[in-house]
Amino acid sequence: MSDTRSPITQFYNCRVLRDHALVEDCLYVQDGKIIDPAKMFWDEQRVPDVRVNCQGGIINGAYGYDFSNDTDMIEEAVSNISKGLLLQGCTAYCPTTVSSRPEVYHKVLSHLGPRAGSIERGAAVLGAHIEGPFISPLKKGAHELATLRTAARGLADFDECYGLDNLRQHVAYVTMAPEVEGVLDAIPDLIAATGINISSGHSNATTAVANQAHRSGAKMITHLFNAMHAFHQRDPGIIGLLGAAESRPFYGIICDGIHVHPHSVMIAYYAHPQGACLVTDAMSAQCLPDGAYKLGEMDVNVHSGHVYIKDTSTIAGSIISLAECVRNFIKFTGASKVEALENATLHPAQMLGIESVKGSLTFGADADILVLDDNLFVQRVFIAGTEATSENVKFNKKI
């Protein structure tokens, strides 16, 4: 609960993204939360202590390190990436690990759990996204084959690999392939035992198996179209879930113009606009020069915005920012600004079940605020109600 004596900040001369529309309104912040101004005006008879002129802007709520490879400097990695992302305009994120050996998960996951965002800490961490190793060898993408495994023993295999306590405390969601031995049957038990979210991905699953996984609790698809059963008219695989008559899953989609053709992005948008979650799939070379880098234990090359496993044509992540993904989504689909912004804010929060505090500007939500111009370029960033600038948010790049 806010201290009624603490300062109140008013954001004015702005268009606020609220209730699926951009409305001309003011926003009021106290103690890092968005507040209802009626109480301030009528009950406390107060006026704002600080006023921020948004100049008519729209309000909406990397760097050489690798979470799977830099295990001996994981806190340094989290700190610097969180601060760098904040200055880009990303106020909360899920740090992602690629398929790794159990000792890596047991070492790093405790450092990737939820933590509040602030000027000192950078963007909020919502919990880890574990991508693999319970994925298909046929659709492994940039994951190391030697690390992949099955779940023949059900929960025991997940406990051995990750640690169930780690899943409960530090993980937001896990990507797995439902056709891998033991995975489909384990999904309900895994959710009941840990409360995590399950996403289907890196999978050769048929539509029938993908449907079973979704009915069992897998509520998302990881990077739609990439590393999965190709669409076929008689069996569209996981992609076919977007055409289901019943409930359909959320889906992550990488709008860098490399991972997914713009026409494919448009197909997904028209099939299920309320399920789109924009993701960057960014790896350690984001905001760094072209050259050689690591993705987990694998060597990758970065050149002109493309990231490939060394000496192959296998895509190994991206270096795009989330703000660029938002602008690309509009360019690829013709979607409205509201739709594109909600794909990067509200929909991911809904998938994680945290929309009351993240991804929206409702009363009581965290005051993580972006001020954008009409072309959706980031002008100002606020975390917990405090403005983040290059002067008060310092971080290092590991080159």
Side-chain angles (χ1 to χ4, degrees), residues 3 12 77 122 156 163 206 301 320 324 330 335 352 364:
D3 182 344
Y12 71 99
T206 63
N301 290 324
I320 197 170
E324 289 176 279
I330 293 175
L352 295 173

Side-chain angles (χ1 to χ4, degrees), residues 64-332:
Y65 295 96
D66 185 294
F67 296 119
S68 301
N69 183 260
D70 293 314
T71 59
D72 292 328
M73 53 178 69
I74 190 66
E75 275 299 323
E76 177 185 336
V78 174
S79 175
N80 283 294
I81 290 174
S82 296
K83 293 173 185 176
L85 288 175
L86 178 62
L87 291 178
Q88 284 186 21
C90 176
T91 60
Y93 73 110
C94 292
T96 298
T97 61
V98 296
S99 294
S100 304
R101 293 168 176 80
E103 57 267 27
V104 172
Y105 297 117
H106 289 277
K107 187 171 185 177
V108 306
L109 287 180
S110 63
H111 299 276
L112 304 180
R115 62 179 78 182
S118 68
I119 295 299
E120 297 75 23
R121 291 186 293 266
V125 177
L126 303 175
H129 166 212
I130 306 176
E131 199 170 332
F134 298 91
I135 60 175
S136 170
L138 299 175
K139 299 294 179 182
K140 64 181 180 60
H143 292 242
E144 188 179 7
L145 183 62
T147 64
L148 306 190
R149 56 188 295 167
T150 65
R153 298 180 299 140
L155 279 183
D157 280 309
F158 291 101
D159 190 23
E160 178 183 276
C161 184
Y162 310 129
L164 294 183
D165 282 339
N166 277 331
L167 294 179
R168 293 185 190 100
Q169 298 175 43
H170 309 303
V171 176
Y173 71 108
V174 179
T175 292
M176 56 187 70
E179 79 280 11
V180 167
E181 183 182 8
V183 167
L184 183 61
D185 291 338
I187 287 174
D189 293 337
L190 190 58
I191 294 171
T194 65
I196 61 167
N197 298 290
I198 304 295
S199 184
S200 294
H202 282 279
S203 168
N204 202 39
T206 63
T207 298
V209 171
N211 262 320
Q212 284 183 273
H214 181 53
R215 287 194 295 267
S216 295
K219 61 196 295 188
M220 186 172 174
I221 301 170
T222 295
H223 46 55
L224 183 72
F225 298 114
N226 297 117
M228 61 185 56
H229 186 299
F231 186 91
H232 187 277
Q233 69 273 20
R234 288 190 292 276
D235 189 350
I238 290 177
I239 300 166
L241 295 183
L242 270 64
E246 60 272 14
S247 68
R248 287 169 284 179
F250 291 97
Y251 58 93
I253 193 160
I254 306 167
C255 285
D256 60 356
I258 299 168
H259 278 77
V260 181
H261 192 281
H263 293 180
S264 298
V265 177
M266 181 174 280
I267 288 171
Y269 162 65
Y270 276 104
H272 186 25
Q274 292 78 28
C277 299
L278 297 180
V279 295
T280 64
D281 204 36
M283 46 77 69
S284 63
Q286 189 189 55
C287 296
L288 295 180
D290 288 355
Y293 294 89
K294 283 283 192 180
L295 180 65
E297 298 180 7
M298 306 190 79
D299 295 314
V300 301
N301 290 324
V302 177
H303 180 69
S304 300
H306 294 70
V307 186
Y308 295 108
I309 294 177
K310 183 179 179 181
D311 298 328
T312 76
S313 59
T314 300
I315 296 176
S318 84
I319 55 172
I320 197 170
S321 71
L322 190 58
E324 289 176 279
C325 286
V326 170
R327 295 191 294 271
N328 281 345
F329 190 84
I330 293 175
K331 182 168 66 174
F332 294 168

